[in-house]
Amino acid sequence: MSTEVWVIIKATFSTTEAAETAASQLKRSLAEQGGELTQALNTLQATAQPPSGPEESLTIEHVERKKNVLSIAGYTYTSEPPVWFTAALHPLGAQKIHIRDQWDEGGSHYYFLEGQRVSKRKFEGDKPKRPLSARDIEINKNLFLPEGRVHIKATLTQHWPVGDIYESILLEFMSDDNQRFYHKATGRLKQITYEGSPTTCEFSAIFERGKHDGQYVSFAKRPTKIKIGP
């Protein structure tokens, strides 16, 4: 017996007007085709070809538009990923298409940009940084947070086991110009805590704000070009 799979589609258009036009066309075609998405799209763009078999249809139960995003919900019984209709949905003006299928045991996500399947990371793109609040700016004044990746020389002052599954060690450093910062070490920098190891080191890293013992502190992240010792 075939398993019912729920499918949620979110199609993003360049403008609200483009989404409104596509929604009107799709709703009209769905009504004429009994709610079957592939047949409805093929009346508008003859390019949507589902896997073969009478059970391989995608029946739509709900279409909704909010501004320039068109949401479509329906169900299918196909064992194939429900993505065959994107070739027809894109020509209607959808620039970004996110498809999620859901069944009893789990689900999957599929991402398309300009009709081409892409990774989630590429689909989401670079998100703009949230502007700092006045409080954030005041807190950051007292922390070592240089811009971008920088090279630094420092001395280990304290260290503690974190107690996680990676056997991480929290390192406290003081830079050559007396800037205090921390690093949660899981790799090579852990060696600086070994008995007999030099306590000085240098490396390249980016610095981000974090918390230690309830206080805001500076953390070195993703260190590279590590050198332990003078």
Side-chain angles (χ1 to χ4, degrees), residues 12-13 17 41 47 67 81 109 112 116 123 128 149 151 172 176 185 189 201 212 217:
T12 303
F13 294 75
E17 291 74 17
L41 286 171
T47 50
K67 295 184 178 180
H109 294 261
F112 291 80
Q116 300 296 317
F123 181 85
R149 179 170 287 272
H151 189 79
E172 180 186 85
D176 280 2
L189 271 175
C201 65
H212 171 59
V217 297

Side-chain angles (χ1 to χ4, degrees), residues 90-189:
H90 171 58
L92 290 181
Q95 296 179 323
K96 300 175 68 174
I97 303 171
H98 173 209
I99 303 166
R100 177 170 61 89
D101 60 10
Q102 184 71 42
W103 59 94
D104 290 342
E105 292 78 17
S108 301
H109 294 261
Y110 310 91
Y111 304 92
F112 291 80
L113 278 179
E114 300 295 350
Q116 300 296 317
R117 188 170 175 180
V118 297
S119 66
K120 179 181 179 182
R121 182 174 181 178
K122 185 173 182 179
F123 181 85
E124 292 181 341
D126 295 328
K127 297 181 178 179
K129 292 184 178 179
R130 179 176 62 87
L132 293 177
S133 67
R135 181 172 180 270
D136 287 329
I137 294 172
E138 192 62 32
I139 291 170
N140 291 354
K141 283 181 181 178
N142 301 314
L143 302 179
F144 180 58
L145 296 171
E147 189 73 24
R149 179 170 287 272
V150 297
H151 189 79
I152 191 165
K153 296 181 179 180
T155 300
L156 180 71
T157 55
Q158 297 185 75
H159 62 87
W160 308 266
V162 174
D164 59 15
I165 61 174
Y166 307 106
E167 298 183 347
S168 307
I169 298 178
L170 183 64
L171 311 176
E172 180 186 85
F173 287 104
M174 188 68 73
S175 72
D176 280 2
D177 55 354
N178 295 317
Q179 299 285 350
R180 190 181 308 276
F181 66 91
Y182 296 79
H183 173 65
K184 184 179 177 182
T186 58
R188 188 181 170 194
L189 271 175

